[in-house]
Short mmCIF file of all heavy atoms in Angstrom, two decimals:
data_model
loop_
_atom_site.label_atom_id
_atom_site.label_comp_id
_atom_site.label_asym_id
_atom_site.label_seq_id
_atom_site.Cartn_x
_atom_site.Cartn_y
_atom_site.Cartn_z
N LEU A 1 -18.77 11.90 11.67
CA LEU A 1 -18.18 11.18 12.78
C LEU A 1 -19.23 10.45 13.60
O LEU A 1 -19.04 9.30 14.00
CB LEU A 1 -17.39 12.17 13.67
CG LEU A 1 -16.61 11.53 14.85
CD1 LEU A 1 -15.59 10.53 14.31
CD2 LEU A 1 -15.92 12.62 15.67
N ARG A 2 -20.39 11.12 13.82
CA ARG A 2 -21.44 10.47 14.60
C ARG A 2 -21.97 9.24 13.88
O ARG A 2 -22.21 8.20 14.47
CB ARG A 2 -22.59 11.46 14.85
CG ARG A 2 -22.28 12.49 15.94
CD ARG A 2 -23.58 13.12 16.47
NE ARG A 2 -24.37 13.73 15.41
CZ ARG A 2 -24.24 15.01 15.03
NH1 ARG A 2 -23.32 15.78 15.60
NH2 ARG A 2 -25.00 15.51 14.08
N LYS A 3 -22.14 9.37 12.56
CA LYS A 3 -22.66 8.25 11.78
C LYS A 3 -21.68 7.07 11.74
O LYS A 3 -22.08 5.91 11.68
CB LYS A 3 -22.98 8.70 10.35
CG LYS A 3 -24.23 9.56 10.25
CD LYS A 3 -24.49 9.90 8.78
CE LYS A 3 -25.78 10.69 8.62
NZ LYS A 3 -26.05 11.02 7.20
N ASN A 4 -20.42 7.41 11.74
CA ASN A 4 -19.42 6.36 11.53
C ASN A 4 -18.66 5.98 12.80
O ASN A 4 -17.67 5.25 12.74
CB ASN A 4 -18.41 6.81 10.47
CG ASN A 4 -19.04 6.91 9.08
OD1 ASN A 4 -19.20 5.90 8.39
ND2 ASN A 4 -19.41 8.13 8.70
N THR A 5 -19.11 6.48 13.94
CA THR A 5 -18.42 6.17 15.19
C THR A 5 -18.28 4.67 15.43
O THR A 5 -17.19 4.20 15.81
CB THR A 5 -19.14 6.84 16.38
OG1 THR A 5 -19.03 8.25 16.24
CG2 THR A 5 -18.52 6.41 17.70
N PRO A 6 -19.34 3.86 15.23
CA PRO A 6 -19.17 2.42 15.46
C PRO A 6 -18.04 1.80 14.61
O PRO A 6 -17.25 1.00 15.11
CB PRO A 6 -20.53 1.83 15.09
CG PRO A 6 -21.49 2.95 15.30
CD PRO A 6 -20.75 4.19 14.90
N GLY A 7 -17.98 2.23 13.34
CA GLY A 7 -16.93 1.70 12.48
C GLY A 7 -15.56 2.16 12.90
O GLY A 7 -14.59 1.39 12.87
N VAL A 8 -15.44 3.43 13.29
CA VAL A 8 -14.15 3.96 13.73
C VAL A 8 -13.68 3.22 14.98
O VAL A 8 -12.51 2.85 15.11
CB VAL A 8 -14.25 5.48 13.98
CG1 VAL A 8 -12.97 6.00 14.61
CG2 VAL A 8 -14.54 6.21 12.68
N VAL A 9 -14.62 3.03 15.92
CA VAL A 9 -14.27 2.34 17.15
C VAL A 9 -13.84 0.90 16.85
O VAL A 9 -12.85 0.40 17.40
CB VAL A 9 -15.46 2.36 18.14
CG1 VAL A 9 -15.17 1.45 19.34
CG2 VAL A 9 -15.72 3.77 18.60
N ALA A 10 -14.59 0.24 15.96
CA ALA A 10 -14.25 -1.15 15.62
C ALA A 10 -12.87 -1.24 14.99
O ALA A 10 -12.07 -2.13 15.31
CB ALA A 10 -15.30 -1.73 14.67
N LEU A 11 -12.57 -0.27 14.09
CA LEU A 11 -11.26 -0.25 13.45
C LEU A 11 -10.16 -0.02 14.47
O LEU A 11 -9.11 -0.68 14.43
CB LEU A 11 -11.22 0.83 12.36
CG LEU A 11 -9.90 0.97 11.59
CD1 LEU A 11 -9.56 -0.34 10.88
CD2 LEU A 11 -9.98 2.13 10.59
N ALA A 12 -10.41 0.91 15.39
CA ALA A 12 -9.42 1.19 16.42
C ALA A 12 -9.18 -0.04 17.29
O ALA A 12 -8.03 -0.34 17.66
CB ALA A 12 -9.87 2.38 17.27
N LEU A 13 -10.26 -0.74 17.63
CA LEU A 13 -10.12 -1.94 18.44
C LEU A 13 -9.33 -3.02 17.70
O LEU A 13 -8.49 -3.72 18.28
CB LEU A 13 -11.50 -2.48 18.83
CG LEU A 13 -12.25 -1.70 19.91
CD1 LEU A 13 -13.67 -2.24 20.05
CD2 LEU A 13 -11.52 -1.79 21.25
N MET A 14 -9.61 -3.16 16.40
CA MET A 14 -8.89 -4.16 15.61
C MET A 14 -7.40 -3.85 15.57
O MET A 14 -6.56 -4.73 15.78
CB MET A 14 -9.46 -4.23 14.19
CG MET A 14 -10.85 -4.82 14.10
SD MET A 14 -11.56 -4.67 12.43
CE MET A 14 -10.36 -5.60 11.48
N VAL A 15 -7.07 -2.59 15.30
CA VAL A 15 -5.66 -2.20 15.23
C VAL A 15 -5.00 -2.38 16.59
O VAL A 15 -3.88 -2.91 16.71
CB VAL A 15 -5.53 -0.74 14.74
CG1 VAL A 15 -4.08 -0.29 14.83
CG2 VAL A 15 -6.03 -0.63 13.31
N GLY A 16 -5.72 -1.93 17.66
CA GLY A 16 -5.16 -2.06 19.00
C GLY A 16 -4.94 -3.50 19.39
O GLY A 16 -3.92 -3.86 19.99
N THR A 17 -5.92 -4.37 19.04
CA THR A 17 -5.80 -5.79 19.36
C THR A 17 -4.64 -6.42 18.62
O THR A 17 -3.88 -7.22 19.17
CB THR A 17 -7.10 -6.54 19.01
OG1 THR A 17 -8.17 -5.95 19.75
CG2 THR A 17 -7.00 -8.01 19.35
N PHE A 18 -4.47 -6.02 17.34
CA PHE A 18 -3.36 -6.57 16.54
C PHE A 18 -2.02 -6.30 17.22
O PHE A 18 -1.19 -7.18 17.40
CB PHE A 18 -3.37 -5.96 15.14
CG PHE A 18 -2.13 -6.27 14.33
CD1 PHE A 18 -1.98 -7.52 13.74
CD2 PHE A 18 -1.13 -5.33 14.16
CE1 PHE A 18 -0.84 -7.81 13.01
CE2 PHE A 18 0.00 -5.62 13.43
CZ PHE A 18 0.14 -6.86 12.85
N TYR A 19 -1.81 -5.05 17.64
CA TYR A 19 -0.53 -4.70 18.25
C TYR A 19 -0.40 -5.29 19.65
O TYR A 19 0.71 -5.53 20.14
CB TYR A 19 -0.37 -3.18 18.31
CG TYR A 19 0.03 -2.61 16.97
CD1 TYR A 19 -0.91 -1.99 16.15
CD2 TYR A 19 1.34 -2.72 16.51
CE1 TYR A 19 -0.56 -1.48 14.91
CE2 TYR A 19 1.70 -2.22 15.27
CZ TYR A 19 0.75 -1.60 14.48
OH TYR A 19 1.11 -1.12 13.25
N ALA A 20 -1.53 -5.56 20.30
CA ALA A 20 -1.48 -6.09 21.66
C ALA A 20 -1.12 -7.58 21.68
O ALA A 20 -0.43 -8.04 22.58
CB ALA A 20 -2.81 -5.87 22.37
N VAL A 21 -1.63 -8.33 20.68
CA VAL A 21 -1.47 -9.79 20.73
C VAL A 21 -0.36 -10.31 19.82
O VAL A 21 0.01 -11.47 19.92
CB VAL A 21 -2.79 -10.51 20.36
CG1 VAL A 21 -3.90 -10.06 21.26
CG2 VAL A 21 -3.17 -10.26 18.89
N ARG A 22 0.15 -9.50 18.93
CA ARG A 22 1.17 -10.01 18.01
C ARG A 22 2.44 -10.38 18.80
O ARG A 22 2.77 -9.78 19.83
CB ARG A 22 1.51 -8.99 16.93
CG ARG A 22 2.22 -7.75 17.43
CD ARG A 22 2.66 -6.88 16.28
NE ARG A 22 3.35 -5.69 16.73
CZ ARG A 22 4.07 -4.90 15.93
NH1 ARG A 22 4.17 -5.18 14.66
NH2 ARG A 22 4.67 -3.85 16.42
N LEU A 23 3.11 -11.40 18.30
CA LEU A 23 4.32 -11.86 18.97
C LEU A 23 5.43 -10.83 18.80
O LEU A 23 5.55 -10.18 17.76
CB LEU A 23 4.76 -13.20 18.37
CG LEU A 23 3.81 -14.36 18.59
CD1 LEU A 23 4.32 -15.59 17.87
CD2 LEU A 23 3.64 -14.65 20.07
N PRO A 24 6.27 -10.67 19.83
CA PRO A 24 7.38 -9.73 19.71
C PRO A 24 8.37 -10.18 18.64
O PRO A 24 8.66 -11.37 18.50
CB PRO A 24 8.02 -9.75 21.11
CG PRO A 24 7.60 -11.06 21.70
CD PRO A 24 6.24 -11.34 21.14
N GLU A 25 8.84 -9.23 17.86
CA GLU A 25 9.81 -9.52 16.82
C GLU A 25 11.22 -9.53 17.40
O GLU A 25 11.60 -8.61 18.13
CB GLU A 25 9.72 -8.48 15.70
CG GLU A 25 8.42 -8.51 14.91
CD GLU A 25 8.34 -9.73 14.01
OE1 GLU A 25 9.40 -10.26 13.62
OE2 GLU A 25 7.22 -10.16 13.70
N PRO A 26 12.03 -10.56 17.11
CA PRO A 26 13.39 -10.57 17.63
C PRO A 26 14.22 -9.48 16.95
O PRO A 26 14.00 -9.13 15.79
CB PRO A 26 13.91 -11.96 17.26
CG PRO A 26 13.07 -12.37 16.08
CD PRO A 26 11.72 -11.76 16.31
N SER A 27 15.17 -8.96 17.66
CA SER A 27 16.04 -7.92 17.11
C SER A 27 17.10 -8.56 16.23
O SER A 27 17.37 -9.77 16.30
CB SER A 27 16.71 -7.14 18.24
OG SER A 27 17.62 -7.98 18.94
N ALA A 28 17.71 -7.73 15.39
CA ALA A 28 18.79 -8.21 14.54
C ALA A 28 19.94 -8.75 15.37
O ALA A 28 20.60 -9.73 14.99
CB ALA A 28 19.26 -7.09 13.62
N ALA A 29 20.17 -8.12 16.52
CA ALA A 29 21.26 -8.57 17.39
C ALA A 29 20.97 -9.96 17.96
O ALA A 29 21.88 -10.81 18.04
CB ALA A 29 21.46 -7.57 18.53
N GLU A 30 19.69 -10.21 18.34
CA GLU A 30 19.33 -11.53 18.86
C GLU A 30 19.55 -12.60 17.79
O GLU A 30 20.11 -13.68 18.07
CB GLU A 30 17.87 -11.53 19.30
CG GLU A 30 17.57 -10.79 20.58
CD GLU A 30 16.10 -10.84 20.92
OE1 GLU A 30 15.31 -10.13 20.26
OE2 GLU A 30 15.73 -11.61 21.82
N ILE A 31 19.09 -12.32 16.57
CA ILE A 31 19.25 -13.28 15.49
C ILE A 31 20.73 -13.53 15.21
O ILE A 31 21.17 -14.67 15.03
CB ILE A 31 18.52 -12.79 14.23
CG1 ILE A 31 17.00 -12.83 14.46
CG2 ILE A 31 18.89 -13.63 13.02
CD1 ILE A 31 16.19 -12.30 13.33
N HIS A 32 21.52 -12.47 15.21
CA HIS A 32 22.95 -12.61 14.94
C HIS A 32 23.61 -13.47 16.01
O HIS A 32 24.45 -14.34 15.70
CB HIS A 32 23.61 -11.23 14.90
CG HIS A 32 25.11 -11.29 14.71
ND1 HIS A 32 25.98 -11.33 15.79
CD2 HIS A 32 25.87 -11.35 13.59
CE1 HIS A 32 27.22 -11.40 15.34
NE2 HIS A 32 27.18 -11.40 14.01
N ASP A 33 23.25 -13.26 17.26
CA ASP A 33 23.89 -14.00 18.35
C ASP A 33 23.62 -15.50 18.25
O ASP A 33 24.49 -16.32 18.53
CB ASP A 33 23.39 -13.49 19.71
CG ASP A 33 23.94 -12.11 20.05
OD1 ASP A 33 24.89 -11.68 19.38
OD2 ASP A 33 23.40 -11.47 20.97
N VAL A 34 22.40 -15.87 17.84
CA VAL A 34 22.07 -17.28 17.72
C VAL A 34 22.63 -17.84 16.41
O VAL A 34 23.14 -18.97 16.38
CB VAL A 34 20.55 -17.50 17.78
CG1 VAL A 34 20.19 -18.97 17.61
CG2 VAL A 34 19.99 -16.98 19.10
N ALA A 35 22.58 -17.06 15.34
CA ALA A 35 23.00 -17.54 14.02
C ALA A 35 24.50 -17.78 13.92
O ALA A 35 24.94 -18.57 13.08
CB ALA A 35 22.57 -16.55 12.94
N GLU A 36 25.30 -17.13 14.77
CA GLU A 36 26.75 -17.27 14.64
C GLU A 36 27.24 -18.69 14.97
O GLU A 36 28.38 -19.03 14.68
CB GLU A 36 27.47 -16.25 15.52
CG GLU A 36 27.27 -16.43 17.00
CD GLU A 36 27.99 -15.35 17.80
OE1 GLU A 36 28.63 -14.49 17.15
OE2 GLU A 36 27.94 -15.38 19.05
N ASP A 37 26.37 -19.50 15.55
CA ASP A 37 26.75 -20.89 15.82
C ASP A 37 26.55 -21.80 14.62
O ASP A 37 26.91 -22.98 14.68
CB ASP A 37 25.93 -21.45 16.99
CG ASP A 37 26.26 -20.78 18.32
OD1 ASP A 37 27.40 -20.30 18.47
OD2 ASP A 37 25.39 -20.73 19.20
N PHE A 38 25.96 -21.28 13.54
CA PHE A 38 25.64 -22.10 12.38
C PHE A 38 26.24 -21.49 11.11
O PHE A 38 26.38 -20.27 11.02
CB PHE A 38 24.12 -22.20 12.18
CG PHE A 38 23.37 -22.70 13.39
CD1 PHE A 38 22.88 -21.81 14.34
CD2 PHE A 38 23.17 -24.06 13.58
CE1 PHE A 38 22.18 -22.25 15.44
CE2 PHE A 38 22.48 -24.52 14.69
CZ PHE A 38 21.99 -23.62 15.63
N ALA A 39 26.53 -22.35 10.15
CA ALA A 39 26.97 -21.87 8.84
C ALA A 39 26.78 -23.00 7.82
O ALA A 39 27.01 -24.18 8.14
CB ALA A 39 28.43 -21.43 8.85
N PHE A 40 26.34 -22.64 6.60
CA PHE A 40 26.12 -23.61 5.53
C PHE A 40 26.69 -23.08 4.22
O PHE A 40 26.61 -21.88 3.94
CB PHE A 40 24.62 -23.88 5.33
CG PHE A 40 23.95 -24.56 6.49
CD1 PHE A 40 23.35 -23.81 7.50
CD2 PHE A 40 23.93 -25.94 6.59
CE1 PHE A 40 22.73 -24.43 8.57
CE2 PHE A 40 23.32 -26.57 7.66
CZ PHE A 40 22.73 -25.81 8.66
N ASP A 41 27.29 -23.97 3.45
CA ASP A 41 27.68 -23.67 2.07
C ASP A 41 26.57 -24.16 1.15
O ASP A 41 26.23 -25.35 1.16
CB ASP A 41 28.98 -24.37 1.70
CG ASP A 41 30.21 -23.65 2.23
OD1 ASP A 41 30.08 -22.48 2.62
OD2 ASP A 41 31.28 -24.28 2.27
N SER A 42 25.98 -23.25 0.36
CA SER A 42 24.93 -23.62 -0.58
C SER A 42 25.56 -24.18 -1.84
O SER A 42 26.43 -23.54 -2.45
CB SER A 42 24.07 -22.39 -0.90
OG SER A 42 23.11 -22.70 -1.88
N MET A 43 25.13 -25.36 -2.27
CA MET A 43 25.76 -26.05 -3.39
C MET A 43 24.70 -26.59 -4.34
O MET A 43 23.62 -27.04 -3.93
CB MET A 43 26.65 -27.18 -2.88
CG MET A 43 27.62 -26.76 -1.77
SD MET A 43 28.58 -28.11 -1.08
CE MET A 43 29.81 -28.33 -2.36
#
């Protein structure tokens, strides 16, 4: 652990940064509410 602390910390920072800055994912309900105004027949 002592030898690899810098790497562990860097990995933790990367993972933490990823979850901190990633855009929020819309819920299925949000998508459904917007999608109900549209419809297409694939041909």
Side-chain angles (χ1 to χ4, degrees):
L1 184 60
R2 283 199 303 270
K3 286 183 177 180
N4 292 279
T5 295
V8 173
V9 171
L11 180 60
L13 286 172
M14 290 172 61
V15 173
T17 301
F18 170 78
Y19 282 102
V21 303
R22 68 173 180 166
L23 295 176
E25 293 289 334
S27 67
E30 287 179 285
I31 291 177
H32 176 269
D33 288 346
V34 178
E36 65 182 0
D37 292 333
F38 305 91
F40 294 92
D41 280 344
S42 176
M43 310 176 78

